[in-house]
Amino acid sequence: MRALLIDAAETVAIREVPAPEPGPGQVRLRIRHVGICGSDLHYYADGANGAFAVREPLVPGHELSATVDQDPAGRWEPGTPVTVHPARFGDRDARFAEAPNLFAGGSYLGSASTWPHTQGALSELLVVEADMLRALPAGLSPRTAVLAEPLGVALHALTQARSVGAALDGARVLVAGAGPIGLLAVAAARDAGAVVDACDVREGPLERARAQGAEQVLRADREAPEAGAYDVVLECSAAPSSISAALQAVRPAGVVVQVGMVPPERQEIALAPLIAREVRLVGAFRFVDEIDDAVELLARRPQIGAVITHELDPERPEELFAAAGDSESSGKVIASWR
């Protein structure tokens, strides 16, 4: 089978590799579509995602849709369209049993955080545990279903806002950073009944945010969001200046959810509003089971699929990653096997 392999920074190739065979409790999938995430871009551009460096050839990709190719147990019919929950949760910790996404020792598809690396979805065939599969409802196209994983991230951000008391129906919400996750956060917050604004430093992302239902869009490099105006801010850019602006934009006793993954280095962030306004600042890391809600939401609102702006052939990996790295012109970039 063919697979896309990252060997080091800016070193990528399509190669023939042995087809994987499913073991007990596993299912083999034939991959249809794979979304390119920011972590995939880092592995390609830097040879690492944060502290996790590529130490062996890595197949990236954790946003996918597929069809069942082989189920030795006979529970999944060949050809069944599915998406996949990409996490294998680690050892249960009773201190936060409700948050298995935080358990130590887990893994995620297409990640160099484990050794050996956890190979991802940018291959023609992939073997996963059967309980990771999510069947697609009738009417949800595999192309749109590739958004289930990143939409699950956006929905988990809303879960985190609610966990500290935020009510979203009728709330005024700011999404800071209108990349793919930010666009899906706009869609998710709108579906939850919020009035949503978005800010970014580029025109292309703001146009796409407006298309997903943002009421007002702001060029953050020219105009600061109104201070104290928002009940909830979903910070999706991870830029220190944006985090500082988010703390300034949220109202007293409001909620800021940090969705964008900040780098491990120290950052300069203005924290005074966090104290003076008793802002509730909460992190959001991947998701628990929100991918199930994401599948339902995509089936109900297929127009969210417009977040996908480019569909490219994985046989041209440099072109694929170049498109995903051009945030002015691209929303979600997906690779599709022919």
Side-chain angles (χ1 to χ4, degrees):
M1 71 169 187
R2 293 172 297 167
L4 185 151
L5 289 153
I6 296 173
D7 297 306
E10 297 186 346
T11 306
V12 61
I14 294 287
R15 298 196 187 104
E16 287 287 337
V17 299
E21 295 296 332
Q26 294 183 323
V27 175
R28 188 168 73 183
L29 305 177
R30 186 163 295 277
I31 304 300
R32 296 283 304 278
H33 307 284
V34 180
I36 304 301
C37 176
S39 62
D40 303 322
L41 275 172
H42 281 296
Y43 284 128
Y44 169 70
D46 307 325
N49 182 35
F52 305 124
V54 173
R55 293 181 286 160
E56 65 175 346
L58 174 70
V59 179
H62 52 260
E63 307 171 1
L64 69 139
S65 61
T67 55
V68 172
D69 181 67
Q70 182 183 348
D71 178 11
R75 290 170 294 184
W76 288 87
E77 186 73 19
T80 302
V82 297
T83 188
V84 171
H85 192 311
R88 298 173 177 94
F89 294 134
D91 299 325
R92 183 180 184 277
D93 193 318
R95 296 172 298 171
F96 42 91
E98 75 289 349
N101 56 317
L102 305 181
F103 293 168
S107 65
Y108 217 71
L109 292 179
S111 174
S113 64
T114 57
W115 182 257
H117 296 340
T118 303
Q119 302 298 337
L122 261 167
S123 57
E124 291 183 297
L125 298 170
L126 176 70
V127 167
V128 297
E129 277 64 47
D131 62 4
M132 298 168 73
L133 300 188
R134 302 293 189 273
L136 302 188
L140 176 56
S141 73
R143 187 180 188 274
T144 301
V146 78
L147 295 172
E149 192 276 349
L151 181 55
V153 171
L155 289 169
H156 185 63
L158 301 188
T159 298
Q160 290 297 89
R162 294 184 181 103
S163 75
V164 290
L168 292 166
D169 189 14
R172 193 174 179 195
V173 172
L174 175 68
V175 175
I181 293 293
L183 295 175
L184 293 167
V186 170
R190 278 295 307 272
D191 189 71
V195 177
V196 185
D197 295 344
C199 62
D200 201 284
V201 296
R202 294 178 176 87
E203 292 294 336
L206 292 177
E207 291 175 9
R208 291 185 284 273
R210 189 180 285 110
Q212 287 299 322
E215 295 279 334
Q216 180 183 17
V217 297
L218 304 168
R219 274 288 298 261
D221 54 342
R222 300 175 183 172
E223 179 182 7
E226 182 182 352
Y230 295 94
D231 302 296
V232 176
V233 180
L234 305 175
E235 205 298 306
C236 300
S237 78
S241 60
S242 180
I243 299 171
S244 296
L247 292 169
Q248 189 68 32
V250 73
R251 65 164 170 79
V255 176
V256 174
V257 183
Q258 187 56 45
V259 188
M261 184 65 72
V262 300
E265 297 83 12
R266 292 185 178 184
Q267 306 287 323
E268 291 189 5
I269 298 169
L271 291 177
L274 179 73
I275 302 163
R277 295 180 181 174
E278 294 192 352
V279 173
R280 289 161 288 176
L281 174 63
V282 60
F285 182 65
R286 297 174 178 166
F287 52 84
V288 180
D289 55 10
E290 286 91 349
I291 195 169
D292 301 317
D293 298 323
V295 169
E296 183 276 330
L297 178 53
L298 289 169
R300 181 162 47 81
R301 293 190 58 203
Q303 61 269 33
I304 295 173
V307 168
I308 299 170
T309 57
H310 293 67
E311 181 175 356
L312 301 172
D313 191 332
E315 294 279 4
R316 300 193 294 273
E318 289 86 359
E319 179 183 336
L320 178 69
F321 287 111
D326 183 0
S327 58
E328 172 62 41
S329 64
S330 70
K332 174 57 67 177
V333 174
I334 67 172
S336 300
W337 293 104
R338 305 301 181 186

